Amino acid sequence: MKIGLVLSGGGARGIAHLGVLKALQEKNVEISAISGCSAGAIAGAMFSAGYSPDKIFEIVVSTNTLRALRPAWSRVGLLNMKKAEEAYLKYIPHNSFEHLKIPLTINATNLYAGESIYFSSGELLRPVMASCCIPGLFEPIIMNNQTLLDGGILNNMPVEPLKDKYDFIIGSHCNPYGMNQLPKSMASMVQKSLFLAINNNSKSRLALCDLLIEPPLLKNFDPQDIRKAHNIFKVGYEYTKSLTLPENML
């Protein structure tokens, strides 16, 4: 059976994908293809390159993408992704979709066309970084005369590249609906409102997954709280380990 895996965006919550991947490996689930957005794009790229979930966790936490960023001070954003791209280039030096061990698709948002764009061939890391470019925080990435931002703006759960091409679709969604506390500031209110809008575009796509993995405890973690990375990984791992997999996917 050919199994496709969809990895949503979610900031620091995306670390839960690594726990999900580790548990799926222990259940002997073989992934045939991956589609990822934002944090899911990073996890998908590293896993497709052959790194274990534990090693990816080690790399992400030690590299810490936020530390790899430098001020851009442009009119279109505050930070750019160049340092982050260079950091991941150390681990994926071939920088190519074609050299990955598992087929991968990454989505980003074409700002001026107002549509999702999918990458599955050619240069790898710039599309991955583009998929992570939160508007207003990161400078957009210009590629092939296109201005690219976070894929989650229009499609935070990119199941379309895998649907009808694989026998069984697993979705790892790290953004369970609900808040554990009310926003305490205007900035927090704006962030959570944007988060809610992004989540809303995932609803119909969640139903397209044959198996949805959405650990409810993730709502207790802020999407920006990388300090709780170990706990987030554990939540993804333990929830997935507790699942009984459908017989038709084994």
Side-chain angles (χ1 to χ4, degrees), residues 4-249:
L5 174 66
V6 186
L7 303 175
S8 76
R13 289 178 174 178
I15 292 171
H17 293 318
L18 304 179
V20 170
L21 283 165
K22 181 176 181 178
L24 289 176
Q25 282 190 323
E26 292 179 358
K27 291 176 178 288
N28 297 315
V29 175
E30 185 175 344
I31 304 300
S32 301
I34 296 175
S35 179
C37 175
S38 198
I42 292 176
M46 296 295 287
F47 187 75
S48 295
Y51 290 98
S52 70
D54 285 318
K55 182 60 178 178
I56 301 170
F57 177 82
E58 177 186 324
I59 291 170
V60 169
V61 172
S62 63
T63 302
N64 195 338
T65 304
L66 294 179
R67 293 177 186 170
L69 298 172
R70 64 176 176 83
W73 308 120
S74 70
R75 291 179 298 171
V76 291
L78 296 176
L79 303 169
N80 75 31
M81 285 287 197
K82 191 61 180 176
K83 290 291 185 181
E85 181 182 344
E86 292 172 356
Y88 284 104
L89 188 59
K90 297 177 183 178
Y91 300 98
I92 311 179
H94 57 72
N95 194 18
S96 166
F97 279 95
E98 285 78 7
H99 285 82
L100 295 173
K101 298 180 179 180
I102 299 174
L104 173 70
T105 301
I106 297 300
N107 74 316
T109 299
N110 185 322
L111 178 62
Y112 295 116
E115 61 186 17
S116 292
I117 183 168
Y118 298 93
F119 297 88
S120 58
S121 62
E123 181 181 349
L124 171 66
L125 288 175
R126 273 201 298 168
V128 170
M129 295 298 108
S131 188
C132 300
C133 279
I134 300 172
L137 178 60
F138 299 120
E139 182 180 5
I141 287 179
I142 309 300
M143 187 172 180
N144 301 329
N145 295 317
Q146 297 172 318
T147 302
L148 304 175
L149 286 170
D150 194 317
I153 297 171
L154 295 179
N155 187 352
N156 200 43
M157 194 72 181
V159 67
E160 290 88 342
L162 303 181
K163 197 62 181 174
D164 298 325
K165 296 179 182 178
Y166 294 88
D167 303 312
F168 195 94
I169 304 295
I170 299 174
S172 179
H173 186 246
C174 60
N175 297 317
Y177 297 104
M179 298 182 189
N180 62 331
Q181 60 183 5
L182 292 174
K184 297 181 179 180
S185 67
M186 181 59 69
S188 178
M189 179 71 75
V190 171
Q191 179 199 55
K192 291 186 182 296
S193 297
L194 176 62
F195 182 69
L196 182 60
I198 288 175
N199 258 351
N200 191 57
N201 71 47
S202 300
K203 287 185 177 180
S204 62
R205 295 177 172 100
L206 298 180
L208 297 178
C209 299
D210 299 297
L211 172 64
L212 178 63
I213 301 175
E214 186 184 54
L217 290 180
L218 288 178
K219 69 181 180 180
N220 297 326
F221 298 93
D222 191 283
Q224 294 182 334
D225 201 351
I226 193 70
R227 296 171 300 174
K228 295 182 180 178
H230 286 85
N231 293 332
I232 295 171
F233 181 99
K234 184 178 180 181
V235 166
Y237 174 74
E238 292 187 346
Y239 180 80
T240 307
K241 282 288 287 186
S242 72
L243 296 177
T244 300
L245 300 181
E247 292 184 3
N248 64 331
M249 70 165 289

